[in-house]
Amino acid sequence: QVQLVESGGGLVQPGGSLRLSCTASGRFFSLNYMGWYRQAPGKQRELVAGISESGSINYADSVKGRFTISRDSAKNTVPLQMNRLEPEDTAVYYCNAVVRGDYRSSPTTYWGQGTQVTVSS
C-alpha cells in the first residue's frame, strides 16, 4: 500500500506564489510517474503537471511558464512551485502517483486526499 501526503495549500492573492509538496511512502518497487491534478467546483479533474521516473515533464497549457514541477527521487517527493497565480487556479489540488508494487506487478494509480488552493483578493 502506498500513501500520498500533500502539503502547502492555502489562500493567496492574485499574482502570488504557493509551493505544494507531495511525499509518497509505503512499500513499492518503483514510482513510475508522479503528478498533480486539480478540480475546481463544477469541473472535471484535470492534469496540472506530471513527471516520469526518467524525468520527462508535461504541463497543462494553462500553467506553462507559471508552474514548475520537480522530483526528489531519494525522498519520493514531488514539489509544485506555483507562481503568478490567478483566480482561475482556485481548486483542490491532488497528488497522483503510478506505482509498481514489485517488478512483476502492473502499475497501480494512487491519489492523495487533496489540498485546497484559493486565489482571491
Side-chain angles (χ1 to χ4, degrees), residues 44-58:
Q44 290 189 332
R45 190 173 296 188
E46 63 175 1
L47 173 70
V48 176
I51 183 167
S52 70
E53 191 173 20
S54 65
S56 177
I57 292 174
N58 59 313

Side-chain angles (χ1 to χ4, degrees), residues 19-22 36 51 68-72 77-81:
R19 184 177 177 87
L20 305 182
S21 187
C22 173
W36 288 93
I51 183 167
T68 303
I69 191 170
S70 58
R71 181 167 176 166
D72 184 336
T77 296
V78 176
L80 179 69
Q81 179 65 42

Side-chain angles (χ1 to χ4, degrees), residues 6-7 16 21 44-45 47 54 59-60 63 66 70 74 76 86 90 93 95 108 113 119 121:
E6 302 136 330
S7 62
S21 187
Q44 290 189 332
R45 190 173 296 188
L47 173 70
S54 65
Y59 292 101
V63 307
R66 301 188 297 123
S70 58
N76 297 323
E86 304 168 353
T90 296
Y93 284 68
C95 180
T108 301
Q113 291 190 329
V119 184
S121 55

Side-chain angles (χ1 to χ4, degrees), residues 98-115:
V98 178
V99 176
R100 291 179 65 192
D102 61 58
Y103 72 95
R104 298 167 296 179
S105 62
S106 298
T108 301
T109 299
Y110 292 88
W111 292 93
Q113 291 190 329
T115 184

